[in-house]
Amino acid sequence: MTSQKPYTIASASSGFMQDPPSLRNQYEDDIVLRNILRKTMPKSILGSIEPDLFRFGERVIGDILAMGDDVEDPNNYPRLKQYDAWCRRVDEITTAKGWKELNDVAAEEGLIAIAYERKYNEYSRIYQFAKQYLYSPSSAMYACPLSMTDGAARVIELLGTQEMKETVYSHLISRDPKLFWTSGQWMTERPGGSDVSRSETVAELIDPSTNTWSVSGFKWFSSATTADIAMLLARTVDPKQGTVQPGSKGLSLFIAKMRNPDGSLNGVHVHRLKNKFGTKGLPTAELELVDMKATMMGNPGRGVPNIASILNITRIYASLGVVSHLRRSLAIAKDFSLKRQVFNQTLNRVPLHVTTLAGLELIFRACIQIVFCCIELLGRAECQRATKDDLLLLRFLTPISKCYVCKIGVQAISEAMEALGGQGYMDDTGMGRLLRDAQVNMIWEGTTNVMAVDVLRVMRETKNGCLTSFKKE
């Protein structure tokens, strides 16, 4: 009997090891964004801000991405402690260290401040959103509380008293992490999401001299629960009749601090944290409000129109969130195609794969053009540089952008994941996180169907004048 030579099994160290995709400076590498800025901004302004964008483009794949990774570690997900050892209600929400650091970065980098300092007039919005676009995919959805903070700042700028501007607005637009505040936006209730006319939360006037109201009710989906203030809708009680007006016309807009001067919660009971498909590091909760002290913003019964300023801004953030996540997933997929060997060639040499990436690139380029068009119009409107057609276009394109970009962009991110094959489905490659966190933007601030109805509403209210403005553009 002859002896057989045993098989040699290669060790892991001697076998094939796939080089992972890597990210380069996210501003320098993004020719589409850079071309948009060249097209929309004066050369002198672009020259002034580009050094900051180059620097920030490197930072978002450095310490900022590490902060986001810390937030996305399942060991660091938000936790709720409702009672202390002595059965006292405390409702403490613990978040990741990275979540707090991302807050400080937002302040230091002026991610809200740039828009309201208006150093570059209407172009300040483009500059601000360019930084938000670079920040968002690395931020583990800290862009969500920033969007509501931005909206709250705009509402106070438009409707707030001088006292509100000095005591609240100044914090929302601060660059000092120790002074910077974030805001929540509480609209959704158990009877309905987008149908705010069914809201059950009520507000009773308790001190006319200070415009102080007592608000009680239940808010079903409250993101940024660790924010410093909140904007919310409530149904005002007639002080003489003791009755409330039904429907959306009975709603008013209120602003409330989350905590009292002694640090205790301002009439807020946290029932539970939401278990969501994505945005795992973002604390979202069901809140019961019991005698929450709040201040009315604007006139009674004008809550829905008054909060529209927030919605316009947060819907642009939603569109931007998807397109920025699509851009990041494409950057990963394209770099992977340069490194992955198949049939004796890299994927970027395979015509069908190149066609797939080219199709995704086309979708990305269309989406980012729509979003930055809305941003450009928003900047003009806020600086009183907008024409009548600009204002109509902004009102018309915002829900279109939210509807189209979020829907097609999420589908494109899914295909970018597929472009990595089975490895794309592995959660630690980051592709799953990009897809999950982008997905929510289709739902937040109005679903696709809600946006479609809003587009029809604009057409009806303008007697199709928005279409004429669109043709002129």
Side-chain angles (χ1 to χ4, degrees), residues 15-34:
F16 172 78
M17 297 290 286
Q18 173 66 50
D19 289 334
S22 57
L23 293 170
R24 291 177 288 276
N25 184 302
Q26 290 298 281
Y27 179 69
E28 184 177 14
D29 194 45
D30 195 336
I31 188 64
V32 182
L33 173 64
R34 293 174 66 185

Side-chain angles (χ1 to χ4, degrees), residues 412-426:
I413 294 170
S414 178
E415 185 141 8
M417 173 192 280
E418 185 182 346
L420 271 68
Q423 194 65 7
Y425 196 64
M426 299 301 103

